[in-house]
Amino acid sequence: MATYVVLIDWTEKGVGNFKDTVDRYEGARGQFEGMGITFKDIYWTLGAHDIVTIMDAPDDETLAAALLALGSQGNVRTTTLRAFSIDEMRGVIAKAG
Protein backbone atom coordinates (compact mmCIF):
# COMPACT_ATOMS: atom_id res chain seq x y z
CA MET A 1 0.00 0.00 0.00
CA ALA A 2 1.14 3.49 -0.80
CA THR A 3 0.48 6.44 1.52
CA TYR A 4 -0.83 9.81 0.34
CA VAL A 5 -1.47 13.20 1.88
CA VAL A 6 -4.57 14.65 0.27
CA LEU A 7 -5.26 18.37 0.68
CA ILE A 8 -8.93 19.15 0.19
CA ASP A 9 -10.47 22.53 -0.54
CA TRP A 10 -14.17 23.27 -0.56
CA THR A 11 -15.69 24.69 -3.69
CA GLU A 12 -18.34 27.39 -3.42
CA LYS A 13 -20.93 24.59 -3.40
CA GLY A 14 -19.01 22.76 -0.66
CA VAL A 15 -18.87 25.86 1.54
CA GLY A 16 -22.59 26.35 1.03
CA ASN A 17 -23.12 22.80 2.28
CA PHE A 18 -20.54 22.92 5.10
CA LYS A 19 -22.99 21.48 7.64
CA ASP A 20 -22.94 18.20 5.69
CA THR A 21 -19.14 17.86 5.61
CA VAL A 22 -18.89 15.09 8.20
CA ASP A 23 -21.72 13.15 6.59
CA ARG A 24 -20.09 13.58 3.16
CA TYR A 25 -16.82 12.27 4.59
CA GLU A 26 -18.53 9.21 6.08
CA GLY A 27 -20.18 8.47 2.74
CA ALA A 28 -16.92 8.89 0.84
CA ARG A 29 -15.07 6.72 3.34
CA GLY A 30 -17.42 3.82 2.61
CA GLN A 31 -16.98 4.23 -1.15
CA PHE A 32 -13.21 4.52 -0.84
CA GLU A 33 -12.98 1.45 1.39
CA GLY A 34 -14.86 -0.47 -1.29
CA MET A 35 -11.97 0.40 -3.63
CA GLY A 36 -9.32 -0.72 -1.13
CA ILE A 37 -8.48 2.80 0.10
CA THR A 38 -8.32 3.57 3.81
CA PHE A 39 -8.42 6.90 5.58
CA LYS A 40 -5.69 6.79 8.22
CA ASP A 41 -6.50 10.31 9.49
CA ILE A 42 -8.67 13.27 8.57
CA TYR A 43 -8.57 16.80 9.94
CA TRP A 44 -10.66 19.88 9.22
CA THR A 45 -8.15 22.72 9.18
CA LEU A 46 -7.72 26.49 9.29
CA GLY A 47 -5.47 28.14 6.74
CA ALA A 48 -4.69 27.38 3.12
CA HIS A 49 -6.70 24.12 2.97
CA ASP A 50 -10.04 23.11 4.46
CA ILE A 51 -9.33 19.41 5.09
CA VAL A 52 -6.17 17.32 5.28
CA THR A 53 -6.28 13.53 5.03
CA ILE A 54 -3.75 10.74 5.19
CA MET A 55 -4.80 7.78 3.03
CA ASP A 56 -3.45 4.39 2.05
CA ALA A 57 -4.28 3.13 -1.44
CA PRO A 58 -3.24 0.09 -3.47
CA ASP A 59 -1.85 2.31 -6.27
CA ASP A 60 -1.93 5.76 -7.84
CA GLU A 61 -4.62 4.84 -10.37
CA THR A 62 -7.07 3.62 -7.72
CA LEU A 63 -6.68 6.75 -5.63
CA ALA A 64 -6.96 8.97 -8.72
CA ALA A 65 -10.21 7.25 -9.71
CA ALA A 66 -11.68 7.66 -6.22
CA LEU A 67 -10.70 11.34 -6.04
CA LEU A 68 -12.09 12.03 -9.51
CA ALA A 69 -15.41 10.49 -8.46
CA LEU A 70 -15.36 12.57 -5.28
CA GLY A 71 -14.52 15.77 -7.14
CA SER A 72 -17.26 15.16 -9.69
CA GLN A 73 -19.84 15.76 -6.94
CA GLY A 74 -18.80 19.42 -6.98
CA ASN A 75 -18.10 19.98 -3.27
CA VAL A 76 -14.29 19.75 -3.21
CA ARG A 77 -11.06 20.03 -5.18
CA THR A 78 -8.04 17.99 -4.16
CA THR A 79 -4.25 18.12 -4.26
CA THR A 80 -2.50 14.79 -3.74
CA LEU A 81 1.00 14.23 -2.39
CA ARG A 82 2.68 10.80 -2.40
CA ALA A 83 4.20 10.27 1.04
CA PHE A 84 7.15 8.01 1.84
CA SER A 85 7.80 6.32 5.17
CA ILE A 86 11.30 6.19 6.65
CA ASP A 87 11.90 2.72 5.21
CA GLU A 88 10.55 3.71 1.80
CA MET A 89 12.76 6.80 1.77
CA ARG A 90 15.80 4.65 2.61
CA GLY A 91 14.92 2.56 -0.47
CA VAL A 92 14.65 5.69 -2.62
CA ILE A 93 18.04 6.90 -1.37
CA ALA A 94 19.59 3.48 -2.06
CA LYS A 95 18.30 3.55 -5.65
CA ALA A 96 19.72 7.02 -6.13
CA GLY A 97 23.18 5.65 -5.39
Side-chain angles (χ1 to χ4, degrees), residues 23-91:
D23 293 335
R24 287 196 311 261
Y25 157 68
E26 289 173 339
R29 183 181 64 198
Q31 292 175 346
F32 279 40
E33 287 174 354
M35 299 175 77
I37 301 167
T38 58
F39 282 81
K40 294 173 73 175
D41 282 308
I42 183 168
Y43 301 97
W44 283 259
T45 56
L46 301 175
H49 302 284
D50 299 308
I51 302 168
V52 176
T53 67
I54 310 296
M55 298 182 193
D56 281 343
D59 53 58
D60 294 347
E61 294 82 3
T62 302
L63 183 65
L67 292 174
L68 283 170
L70 179 68
S72 74
Q73 296 173 17
N75 291 299
V76 298
R77 296 284 179 256
T78 62
T79 301
T80 306
L81 307 169
R82 173 63 166 91
F84 296 92
S85 68
I86 291 171
D87 290 337
E88 289 170 326
M89 195 60 206
R90 287 190 191 283

Side-chain angles (χ1 to χ4, degrees), residues 7-26:
L7 307 173
I8 301 174
D9 300 307
W10 286 331
T11 61
E12 188 171 328
K13 178 181 174 184
V15 170
N17 295 319
F18 74 92
K19 291 181 181 179
D20 299 330
T21 187
V22 174
D23 293 335
R24 287 196 311 261
Y25 157 68
E26 289 173 339

